[in-house]
Amino acid sequence: MQPTLRNYRGTLAAALAAAFLVAGFILGVSYGSTPVPFGQVWATVRDGVIGTTFEPGNMEIIVWQVRIPRPILAMIVGAGLGVVGVAVQALVRNDLADPFLLGISSGASVGAVWVLVFGGGGVGGAFGPTRLILTGVTVGQILAAITSFLVLQTDDQAQTRSVLFWLMGSLGGATWSQLPVTAAAIVLGSLALVLRARHLNALAMGDETASDLGISVNRLRREVFVIVSLMTGVVVAVSGAIGFVGRCRTCAGSWSAPTTANSFPLPF
């Protein structure tokens, strides 16, 4: 009875999420400086999918080339940051963690991954969750300060505004050419994390428990950190630092502690 109820709730949640996704897509394309009727949105999507050539200057080409890529990129970015957020929360065993907490968004992934993979002076022994968070925050703040310094050096106000808008996160520059590469990176990264889902569930219970189950904790952290760094780097490159999407306490709850060594729940 319990599995049936759980499956029912999961199906209902998935159906509601799909409905909100479709509604969000339509609203995202319809509303703007010039409103577009819902019927025209669907007609443009249909014509674009079947390969219709739109005439320059028509509303259809504006909708297809400018507006539609934005919600699609938003879906890809949201999915990527959601998956990465779950992985990071299991990595550091903290429901409030997100990929940007480790300094990834500001380029700190380079320094943090270097320390994780090759080690660093004054940083020895196992790289636990607390040390990982502190390293990411420290390096992230340093690089954020460098970014602020560079922004203040320009006398071009338009350039400054452009940089600040990008730092706050924006999907305004979405293009069709960005979608395949971004989607491929998110799918491949998600698959790599799914293959490590059971190990991450064990790690969420603690380093000692994971080690007792035969998992190389340090190696797992290196691998997951590299994966989430690459995924977040791709997302930041196309959308800027939209960090809050990766923080989801509800998603983190899916990394529930297993009752036995052979009953790890999958988080995806």
Side-chain angles (χ1 to χ4, degrees):
M1 180 62 68
Q2 187 64 26
T4 302
L5 179 60
R6 184 162 53 246
N7 293 338
Y8 172 76
R9 290 177 177 174
T11 302
L12 179 60
L16 290 175
F20 280 117
L21 186 66
V22 174
F25 175 86
I26 298 175
L27 293 175
V29 176
S30 299
Y31 287 95
S33 56
T34 302
V36 180
F38 294 163
Q40 187 173 359
V41 172
W42 284 117
T44 303
V45 172
R46 180 198 61 209
D47 294 342
V49 170
I50 65 178
T52 301
T53 301
F54 301 116
E55 296 182 5
N58 287 354
M59 178 58 69
E60 287 80 4
I61 196 171
I62 296 175
V63 172
W64 181 257
Q65 295 293 342
V66 178
R67 292 196 180 183
I68 290 181
R70 296 175 183 174
I72 295 178
L73 183 62
M75 297 176 194
I76 298 173
V77 167
L81 290 179
V83 172
V84 169
V86 174
V88 171
Q89 288 165 7
L91 195 66
V92 300
R93 299 199 299 276
N94 191 320
D95 289 352
L96 297 180
D98 61 21
F100 299 87
L101 178 65
L102 304 184
I104 299 173
S105 63
S106 59
S109 57
V110 177
V113 170
W114 179 275
V115 173
L116 281 171
V117 176
F118 301 107
V123 181
F127 224 85
T130 302
R131 187 173 298 177
L132 182 61
I133 293 175
L134 292 177
T135 300
V137 171
T138 301
V139 180
Q141 291 298 321
I142 293 174
L143 293 182
I146 295 175
T147 300
S148 300
F149 175 78
L150 294 175
V151 171
L152 293 175
Q153 298 311 300
T154 180
D155 295 327
D156 189 341
Q157 295 184 359
Q159 186 180 49
T160 301
R161 285 195 298 270
S162 177
V163 172
L164 291 177
F165 280 133
W166 183 85
L167 289 174
M168 290 187 293
S170 173
L171 300 170
T175 61
W176 283 108
S177 60
Q178 294 175 342
L179 301 183
V181 176
T182 307
I186 296 304
V187 169
L188 292 176
S190 299
L191 289 176
L193 291 175
V194 167
L195 293 176
R196 295 164 174 79
R198 295 182 184 276
H199 288 177
L200 285 171
N201 275 309
L203 185 64
M205 297 181 63
D207 291 4
E208 293 183 0
T209 301
S211 297
D212 292 341
L213 293 173
I215 298 173
S216 176
V217 174
N218 290 334
R219 178 181 177 181
L220 178 61
R221 280 206 171 93
R222 292 188 184 100
E223 292 175 351
V224 173
F225 198 86
V226 169
I227 294 170
V228 300
S229 296
L230 293 175
M231 292 177 65
T232 308
V234 171
V235 169
V236 170
V238 297
S239 67
I242 307 179
F244 69 92
V245 180
R247 181 176 298 170
C248 177
R249 293 181 63 88
T250 302
C251 297
S254 63
W255 296 86
S256 57
T259 55
T260 66
N262 297 319
S263 62
F264 294 111
L266 295 178
F268 298 97

